[in-house]
Amino acid sequence: MRKKLFKSESKRLLDLMINSIYTNKDIFLREIISNASDALDKLHYISLTDEAAREKCSSPEIHITFNSNERTITVSDNGIGMTAAELEENLGTIARSGSLKFKEEMDKKDRTENDIIGQFGVGFYSAFMVAKDLTVISRSYKDDTAHIWKSQGADGYTIEECEKELVGTDIIMHLKDDTDTENYSEYLSEYKLRSLIKTYSDYIRHPIKLPTEKHREVGEGDDKKTEAYTEIETVNSMVPIWQRSKSEVSNEECFKFYKEHFYDFNDPVSVIRINADGLVSYKAMLFIPSKTPYDYYTKEYSKGLALYQSGVMIMENCEDLLPDYLRFVKGVVDTNDLSLNISREILQQSHELKTIASNIEKKVRTELKRLLDKDLEKYLTFWSAFGLQLKYGVVSDYGSHKDNISDLLLFYSQKEQKLITLKSYLENMAEGQEKILYSCADSLSSAQSTPAAQLAKDKGFDVLCLTDEVDEFVMKTLMTYGEKAIISVKDENSGLISEDDKKAAEEKAKESSEVLAFITESLGGAVTETTLKNGLKDFAASLGTTGPITLEMEKYFAQMPGEDHPKAQRVLELNPDSTAFKAIEACYKGDPEKATKYAKLLYGTALLTAGLTLDDPFEFSKLITSLI
Ligand code: ADP
């Protein structure tokens, strides 16, 4: 029999399939199963109007079997089948746009780009990734004879008549031999096939049946033994849980689905169901987890939602469906409104995808707000897992998401001694208070005991105590909330020190300019200047800054990799009423050596109260001892 050549397009595609190294060979089964499912649908559709077809229609099923000795996997369906002409037309050429698009994209791409294949309807030819030859036995509903199509890859195919009792198609894949790097034999196992069906084809509408090895006890008494037997089992769930109506599926069922599919032991805090029928129709089931995944802040964690079309998973993690600040959200989106025979790059541009993504973003935010207002306990669970993520969301992308996130933030209130929202801070602001105040430190207790936080407390002003490294950036990015400025208690514009007091300190500083310059000098460059400040309460000294970098920012930058981190310009702030300052003032002319020691001592205490480490703890200890 004469071998026919593939049309040139097909030949090129086959070359690509066979010669390129794909990591995701697994998807061949998904493609063959999807074709079988389409064939079942087609026969069903035709039988609605065609009497003859109806007679040929039996209960639609897809059967998968394997034979380890012959190294074959067979996928059989009782669908529409193909005539000889159709075998020629469908399998001898790239008739369908899906495969053609794929080929065009592959031509543009570097051949090592290996994840692209998972995102296409690459179809029948993908079987050549695992098979050295393919046999298709098919009988069309409109034909009394069956035909066998055979091909060993790029060099062509043959078609002959053959026997087949029932209408439908068998695809027989004869697997390639194993190599040092590729283990094709792994597909010859019930376990592997089952897991591929579960992963990629779980929601195909028709039953996918697989012979399954089982065990049962036979015999009585001493003759009791276990025997193995085979049962044909339906592997796929068929109806996706997200396709079923809300009233039909309990939260518990959704949670079970979440735990099984997203490998989490814990119930999520929430499930969000979307059934959108607007510009773009889609269904989605989204989950807000309750615990931070162990790899959440590493490169291993991949954000994204699973994307399905007609029950077939076409992308495991579609990143473009979620903004970064919601990267903890898990779930699935199912739509028929996307043209999926397109590459990832084109998908990103897709208007439909953007519409879905923007809807999802809104729905998740609304759900978080609902939890915050109606189920605080759950929100606090969420917050402890992903609050930090929301804070990073505020500062990322130049603050472009801040207005979407600010109402979801929680901070520890000095007055309430618990986490509160900015809104609640605003509603409970004391009379005469103009600004939202915060105090940053390494711990809640340090944040509350700084002189400035104490001063605020005396005035009856609440202070938000911040301990995460990113907090100060969050506040600086937010800048305002509800038209009130957000400002550090340490900032000279915090409003905590009256203008009169400030002026008095300035006057006094002018008078004392000589001693202040002496102190700056004796600290040998550790501070840019020394000033006097009212409002330091019982403290003789505190550490302030001048310029855009604060001490908290300096700490934050210091943890980043690399050297030459930006440094704050430090200012030693002295309490003009303190005995310590008066002591330096009294002795710096007569006993400059002693005054220098006092200055260093004061600087050291200022460092410690600011939560910083001493430059030289040994020298500091000696200094104290020498002064006792
Ligand atoms: P696509 O599925 O994108 O159309 P394929 O290469 O997978 O491309 O398949 C080509 C064509 O072969 C299908 O469109 C269909 O007409 C036919 N075909 C493939 N598998 C079967 C099958 N099991 N039963 C009937 N027709 C099939």
Side-chain angles (χ1 to χ4, degrees):
M1 185 196 12
R2 197 170 67 87
K3 192 174 262 178
K4 299 190 183 184
L5 296 180
F6 283 110
K7 301 265 166 62
S8 60
E9 290 274 76
S10 322
K11 188 166 179 335
R12 169 99 179 90
L13 182 62
L14 278 176
D15 284 345
L16 280 172
M17 287 281 185
I18 298 160
N19 300 325
S20 309
I21 309 146
Y22 297 117
T23 50
N24 202 4
K25 292 194 164 24
D26 283 359
I27 60 108
F28 78 94
L29 193 65
R30 171 191 84 179
E31 296 299 315
I32 298 298
I33 289 176
S34 293
N35 280 348
S37 169
D38 288 349
L40 294 171
D41 286 342
K42 283 179 198 162
L43 183 58
H44 172 76
Y45 182 74
I46 289 167
S47 70
L48 295 177
T49 51
D50 183 329
E51 181 72 30
R54 194 155 45 238
E55 278 168 18
K56 305 276 170 60
C57 225
S58 44
S59 128
E61 283 178 3
I62 299 166
H63 281 262
I64 299 181
T65 52
F66 65 95
N67 182 326
S68 302
N69 296 332
E70 288 169 16
R71 294 181 66 76
T72 55
I73 298 173
T74 302
V75 177
S76 307
D77 66 71
N78 50 357
I80 189 168
M82 285 175 272
T83 60
E86 283 164 345
L87 280 167
E88 173 112 4
E89 163 81 13
N90 294 337
L91 306 184
T93 184
I94 300 180
R96 297 284 294 263
S97 60
S99 307
L100 192 61
K101 271 269 165 54
F102 171 77
K103 187 198 151 286
E104 283 165 3
E105 272 316 302
M106 280 307 284
D107 282 351
K108 279 192 261 162
K109 288 261 155 195
D110 174 325
R111 281 198 188 194
T112 55
E113 174 78 66
N114 53 23
D115 71 339
I116 198 171
I117 197 166
Q119 298 155 24
F120 282 87
V122 286
F124 176 77
Y125 295 108
S126 64
F128 275 116
M129 291 193 292
V130 297
K132 57 181 174 188
D133 57 70
L134 286 178
T135 304
V136 178
I137 300 173
S138 195
R139 185 171 151 199
S140 165
Y141 78 100
K142 51 191 173 192
D143 204 347
D144 286 335
T145 39
H147 292 89
I148 181 164
W149 178 101
K150 278 188 182 179
S151 170
Q152 291 181 340
D155 60 337
Y157 59 93
T158 57
I159 298 177
E160 278 178 282
E161 269 190 28
C162 72
E163 290 294 312
K164 185 174 187 324
E165 196 191 336
L166 297 172
V167 166
T169 304
D170 301 335
I171 312 273
I172 303 155
M173 294 162 271
H174 184 193
L175 296 189
K176 295 184 189 179
D177 298 327
D178 293 342
T179 66
D180 289 345
T181 50
E182 294 295 344
N183 175 18
Y184 299 102
S185 303
E186 69 168 334
Y187 294 116
L188 296 168
S189 89
E190 177 199 322
Y191 174 81
K192 179 71 180 177
L193 293 172
R194 178 180 289 270
S195 91
L196 290 185
I197 297 166
K198 271 291 187 196
T199 308
Y200 294 107
S201 312
D202 200 29
Y203 305 117
I204 289 282
R205 286 177 297 283
H206 307 292
I208 303 172
K209 302 201 162 184
L210 187 72
T212 305
E213 189 174 314
K214 303 226 155 170
H215 293 93
R216 62 183 159 207
E217 292 211 327
V218 287
E220 292 282 310
D222 287 349
D223 291 335
K224 226 187 203 170
K225 58 178 185 212
T226 326
E227 95 179 351
Y229 69 103
T230 305
E231 199 174 287
I232 309 289
E233 243 184 27
T234 301
V235 178
N236 55 330
S237 330
M238 292 190 274
V239 183
I241 186 165
W242 60 85
Q243 291 284 5
R244 288 158 60 197
S245 79
K246 223 171 167 173
S247 57
E248 237 180 81
V249 186
S250 68
N251 266 6
E252 282 63 40
E253 273 179 87
C254 297
F255 288 3
K256 185 170 167 279
F257 166 78
Y258 165 79
K259 289 194 264 190
E260 278 171 15
H261 275 72
F262 300 103
Y263 310 109
D264 190 350
F265 298 116
N266 309 288
D267 279 347
V269 284
S270 216
V271 48
I272 305 168
R273 307 224 24 203
I274 308 174
N275 186 357
D277 241 341
L279 279 176
V280 184
S281 304
Y282 69 95
K283 288 199 166 76
M285 185 180 270
L286 310 174
F287 300 93
I288 301 171
S290 57
K291 290 259 158 50
T292 333
Y294 70 94
D295 60 352
Y296 190 67
Y297 290 104
T298 71
K299 273 193 285 191
E300 269 66 61
Y301 181 87
S302 38
K303 85 162 181 180
L305 302 174
L307 189 57
Y308 278 78
Q309 188 187 36
S310 308
V312 179
M313 185 177 82
I314 48 115
M315 217 191 260
E316 202 170 358
N317 264 316
C318 181
E319 291 184 21
D320 305 318
L321 285 169
L322 286 176
D324 269 343
Y325 73 90
L326 298 179
R327 61 201 278 278
F328 47 83
V329 175
K330 295 271 165 217
V332 298
V333 171
D334 194 341
T335 176
N336 288 334
D337 282 2
L338 286 178
S339 165
L340 292 166
N341 291 322
I342 52 178
S343 78
R344 183 178 167 64
E345 287 71 21
I346 303 170
L347 192 60
Q348 272 176 337
Q349 310 299 324
S350 145
H351 180 67
E352 288 80 10
L353 195 78
K354 284 194 181 137
T355 308
I356 298 177
S358 122
N359 277 350
I360 285 177
E361 183 179 345
K362 273 190 222 119
K363 294 273 185 192
V364 175
R365 278 205 321 263
T366 309
E367 173 62 7
L368 288 174
K369 190 73 181 49
R370 188 192 69 80
L371 287 176
L372 178 59
D373 295 340
K374 303 263 157 47
D375 197 343
L376 188 61
E377 199 182 320
K378 276 208 176 126
Y379 192 78
L380 290 174
T381 306
F382 157 76
W383 181 258
S384 69
F386 301 108
L388 194 59
Q389 172 65 69
L390 290 189
K391 289 180 181 176
Y392 278 111
V394 171
V395 300
S396 69
D397 299 335
Y398 305 101
S400 56
H401 310 287
K402 67 177 180 179
D403 294 337
N404 288 333
I405 307 175
S406 58
D407 278 329
L408 298 172
L409 299 173
L410 292 179
F411 299 105
Y412 191 84
S413 144
Q414 170 166 260
K415 203 184 246 173
E416 310 270 331
Q417 295 286 303
K418 63 173 190 194
L419 291 167
I420 61 164
T421 58
L422 288 169
K423 183 158 167 265
S424 136
Y425 184 100
L426 217 57
E427 284 166 358
N428 297 307
M429 246 157 90
E431 203 148 307
Q433 187 183 353
E434 291 297 328
K435 297 175 180 173
I436 299 174
L437 300 170
Y438 66 85
S439 169
C440 293
D442 291 342
S443 68
L444 284 179
S445 67
S446 310
Q448 297 179 73
S449 46
T450 63
Q454 288 296 314
L455 192 65
K457 191 175 175 188
D458 290 350
K459 288 182 174 288
F461 295 176
D462 195 4
V463 176
L464 299 172
C465 303
L466 313 181
T467 55
D468 284 329
E469 279 163 10
V470 69
D471 281 338
E472 175 129 64
F473 292 96
V474 172
M475 293 314 201
K476 293 249 181 306
T477 309
L478 289 174
M479 280 191 300
T480 58
Y481 181 82
E483 290 175 15
K484 298 277 184 212
I486 304 177
I487 196 162
S488 161
V489 279
K490 281 201 259 172
D491 195 293
E492 58 173 300
N493 298 316
S494 66
L496 288 173
I497 298 169
S498 73
E499 288 307 313
D500 289 349
D501 279 355
K502 267 193 218 166
K503 245 195 214 116
E506 273 166 29
E507 290 292 316
K508 178 85 177 102
K510 251 186 231 158
E511 282 167 31
S512 320
S513 61
E514 214 177 295
V515 62
L516 294 176
F518 169 86
I519 296 170
T520 305
E521 184 132 329
S522 42
L523 293 176
V527 299
T528 325
E529 59 174 320
T530 307
T531 60
L532 294 180
K533 187 172 182 179
N534 279 320
L536 290 184
K537 302 195 39 105
D538 303 341
F539 294 85
S542 80
L543 202 59
T545 52
T546 171
I549 314 262
T550 64
L551 291 169
E552 275 67 34
M553 290 183 185
E554 179 183 307
K555 280 187 232 167
Y556 178 78
F557 289 131
Q559 304 208 336
M560 304 232 176
E563 284 161 29
D564 275 344
H565 297 299
K567 286 236 178 329
Q569 291 185 21
R570 300 175 181 204
V571 174
L572 181 62
E573 301 164 338
L574 298 178
N575 184 344
D577 301 326
S578 66
T579 39
F581 175 64
K582 286 178 184 152
I584 299 185
E585 215 177 13
C587 74
Y588 82 99
K589 277 192 179 138
D591 189 352
E593 200 183 320
K594 188 167 167 190
T596 300
K597 282 187 182 176
Y598 283 166
K600 287 187 175 165
L601 203 57
L602 281 179
Y603 177 61
T605 59
L607 278 177
L608 291 174
T609 43
L612 295 166
T613 47
L614 295 163
D615 299 335
D616 187 344
F618 298 104
E619 201 203 318
F620 192 71
S621 314
K622 276 193 209 150
L623 198 61
I624 296 176
T625 337
S626 75
L627 287 167
I628 292 172

